[in-house]
Amino acid sequence: MNDREGTSSMCTPSADTGAATAAYTFATWSKQRDWTPLHVVQAEGCHFVDAAGRRYLDFSSQLVCSNLGHGNAAIAEAIAEQARRGAYLSPAFAMEVRAEAGRRVAAVMPGRLDRFFFSTSGTEANEAAFKIARAVTGRSKIISRYHSYHGSTAGSIAATGDHRRWGADPSGIAAGVRFAPDAYCYRCPFGWHYPACDLACAKYVEYMIEHEGDIAAVVVEPVVGTNGVLVPPEGYLARLREICTRRGVLLIADEVMTGWGRTGEWFAVNHWGVVPDILTTAKGVTGAYVPLGVTAVSRDVAAYFDDHALPHGHTYEGHPVALAAAIAAIREYQTQNLIGRARQLGLYLGEQLRTLERAHPSIGDVRGIGLFWAIELTKDRSQRQPFNTRADKASGRPIVVNAVVAEAMRQGVYVMGWINHLVVAPPLIIAEEAIAEGVRGLDRALDVADALVDV
């Protein structure tokens, strides 16, 4: 049904659900014309099923958030039980679920990050982090990076480095954000090579702190997420930590995507032994069963608010149902040993993806850690030339990676594509057999990009 008019009275549960969805709701970060969302009727484990009965492997955990897969009975029961016991109370009240969630989250956080503001999303977690950093330091500017994504609300979109910021705060200057170079070794902004570069990308951050002045915090995704799964070189995060400490600037780690076992540690900063002043997270904290964001701060940062008002609040701060889901999710990570499992299976997944790299000339780079990987496309390996750019995406031009994603779906594999790369991030419960299934689908789908390679 292409005509969106009249769908309210004519929809059937199967054929017209997609049309009604397109008629009454918005597709995110894209033009609305010709949007035809797939009607999904069931999801279980690492797969979901459409209205025609076709089964798909969820090879990106939806938006890198369904870490525990679909249909987890323990989390569903925890949600239902808390809803029966007390679905909502004002954040001014104490509930056992709130106290227990605090204890559980604190037990897995790095270092002494044990005071929390619970919100409903990653972007809200970052908004709280920025307000806290500015209040504590008395300074206003935030340093972010060009390949970052920190959310869609006013402060977090201003701190986002990619093209999604362009329509909101094109420069970021209005919101007091300055952008630094990325730790992007495949496309080094300085044209250098590690380790001879001596971490110039980190050193430049110190140059910015010195010459900008008024810097409250530096915010980084320890492993960049949507914009390419950029794993930093050894020593990078430690250097940032040392610079921030010496300069009296707070370090914020945005672990919205990388937290909760995704990289083979509870949090990605653990790989490098770095403890930030503030850590933000969401997504996997509940396995995406209920929206929940977390802003975790150190005891030193929290102590400031003993005698100063916290300049922040939400109606749904510490929502009991969301916190019950978080408690259940943490138990699942622990009882199923999913953190270690992600580390082990990540080695297998990486081997399989590098096999694809050798077979497909359209693959320029394969990189990742744990169960968090990217396949970056190129139409000329020798020049590392991308098929598409941010400008192409922003203007709505055809994107090669979208054609690869579409072919993967025809092969029964859902994988997230963004501008010029695929994000491979399956649920942490995945088995080797399912990883092999996903790689076979990608193998066939990448033929679409191979056909467009410059020879």
Side-chain angles (χ1 to χ4, degrees):
M1 184 172 182
N2 295 323
D3 186 357
R4 295 185 180 184
E5 296 181 2
T7 55
S8 60
S9 61
M10 298 175 61
C11 284
T12 61
S14 56
D16 294 336
T17 296
T21 301
Y24 295 113
T25 66
F26 284 104
T28 58
W29 306 116
S30 63
K31 296 178 180 179
Q32 306 304 301
R33 188 178 301 280
D34 300 324
W35 179 43
T36 53
L38 180 70
H39 179 196
V40 174
V41 296
Q42 184 181 1
E44 185 174 357
C46 295
H47 293 80
F48 58 92
V49 179
D50 69 16
R54 187 158 189 213
R55 192 168 178 257
Y56 303 84
L57 175 67
D58 188 352
F59 218 30
S60 292
S61 301
Q62 294 304 295
L63 294 179
V64 194
C65 56
S66 298
N67 291 11
L68 295 165
H70 307 281
N72 184 291
I75 301 177
E77 179 53 34
I79 291 168
E81 174 59 25
Q82 186 59 48
R84 288 189 291 263
R85 181 179 301 169
Y88 175 76
L89 279 176
S90 161
F93 294 101
M95 292 186 78
E96 178 55 33
V97 69
R98 184 168 177 166
E100 180 63 13
R103 287 191 287 264
R104 293 270 183 172
V105 175
V108 299
M109 278 282 165
R112 287 155 57 95
L113 300 176
D114 58 7
R115 194 72 177 269
F116 310 114
F117 185 90
F118 292 117
S119 55
T120 59
S121 66
T123 188
E124 290 176 354
N126 283 323
E127 294 283 352
F130 299 157
K131 286 184 181 181
I132 288 170
R134 286 166 169 150
V136 169
T137 63
R139 299 190 289 271
S140 65
K141 294 178 185 175
I142 305 289
I143 292 178
S144 183
R145 299 181 300 180
Y146 283 108
H147 275 76
S148 65
Y149 177 72
H150 297 296
S152 60
T153 49
S156 56
I157 195 67
T160 288
D162 71 32
H163 70 278
R164 286 170 284 191
R165 182 191 77 246
W166 297 352
D169 183 3
S171 66
I173 290 175
V177 179
R178 303 294 184 269
F179 292 95
D182 302 280
Y184 189 179
C185 292
Y186 181 69
R187 300 188 187 281
C188 175
F190 300 103
W192 294 343
H193 298 280
Y194 178 81
C197 64
D198 192 28
L199 298 172
C201 48
K203 292 170 69 176
Y204 192 81
V205 172
E206 182 162 27
Y207 181 86
M208 292 179 69
I209 292 171
E210 180 178 352
H211 291 277
E212 278 285 346
D214 196 34
I215 301 296
V218 174
V219 59
V220 296
E221 296 166 277
V223 177
V224 170
T226 307
N227 284 303
V229 190
L230 307 180
V231 182
E234 191 64 37
Y236 173 81
L237 284 175
R239 181 77 63 88
L240 281 188
R241 174 69 279 180
E242 186 275 326
I243 289 168
C244 288
T245 300
R246 180 160 41 81
R247 292 284 184 172
V249 170
L250 299 184
L251 178 62
I252 303 171
D254 178 341
E255 297 239 20
V256 172
M257 261 191 194
T258 54
W260 308 103
R262 174 54 56 193
T263 68
E265 290 281 354
W266 280 104
F267 296 94
V269 292
N270 294 353
H271 287 285
W272 299 280
V274 169
V275 179
D277 301 290
I278 303 175
L279 185 149
T280 61
T281 190
K283 293 184 183 282
V285 63
T286 68
Y289 280 72
V290 180
L292 179 65
V294 183
T295 305
V297 305
S298 69
R299 293 182 187 178
D300 288 342
V301 170
Y304 174 84
F305 297 105
D306 289 345
D307 298 304
H308 299 82
L310 178 73
H312 198 56
H314 282 300
T315 297
Y316 294 127
E317 192 276 327
H319 195 286
V321 173
L323 296 180
I327 293 167
I330 292 170
R331 286 198 193 103
E332 291 295 282
Y333 288 120
Q334 292 170 329
T335 58
Q336 296 188 51
N337 189 30
L338 293 180
I339 312 303
R341 198 165 182 278
R343 191 161 50 244
Q344 177 185 359
L345 283 174
L347 299 175
Y348 175 74
L349 175 58
E351 291 172 0
Q352 297 302 303
L353 296 181
R354 291 190 180 102
T355 299
L356 290 184
E357 183 179 17
R358 293 189 289 271
H360 291 276
S362 61
I363 298 179
D365 193 32
V366 168
R367 54 184 176 261
I369 185 169
L371 286 175
F372 198 28
W373 289 79
I375 298 173
E376 182 161 351
L377 304 181
T378 180
K379 62 180 175 181
D380 186 335
R381 272 185 176 173
S382 64
Q383 301 298 316
R384 299 188 176 184
Q385 185 177 3
F387 283 106
N388 293 103
T389 65
R390 292 180 178 183
D392 294 334
K393 177 72 172 177
S395 67
R397 297 189 188 102
I399 303 291
V400 170
V401 76
N402 289 351
V404 175
V405 167
E407 181 57 34
M409 284 293 281
R410 283 189 282 272
Q411 299 296 329
V413 176
Y414 164 74
V415 65
M416 188 168 78
W418 186 247
I419 303 179
N420 198 61
H421 59 268
L422 301 168
V423 177
V424 181
L428 275 54
I429 63 170
I430 197 167
E432 282 193 5
E433 295 79 11
I435 289 175
E437 172 192 345
V439 170
R440 285 194 297 272
L442 294 183
D443 189 18
R444 300 184 187 103
L446 285 162
D447 289 342
V448 172
D450 289 346
L452 301 173
V453 167
D454 290 342
V455 294

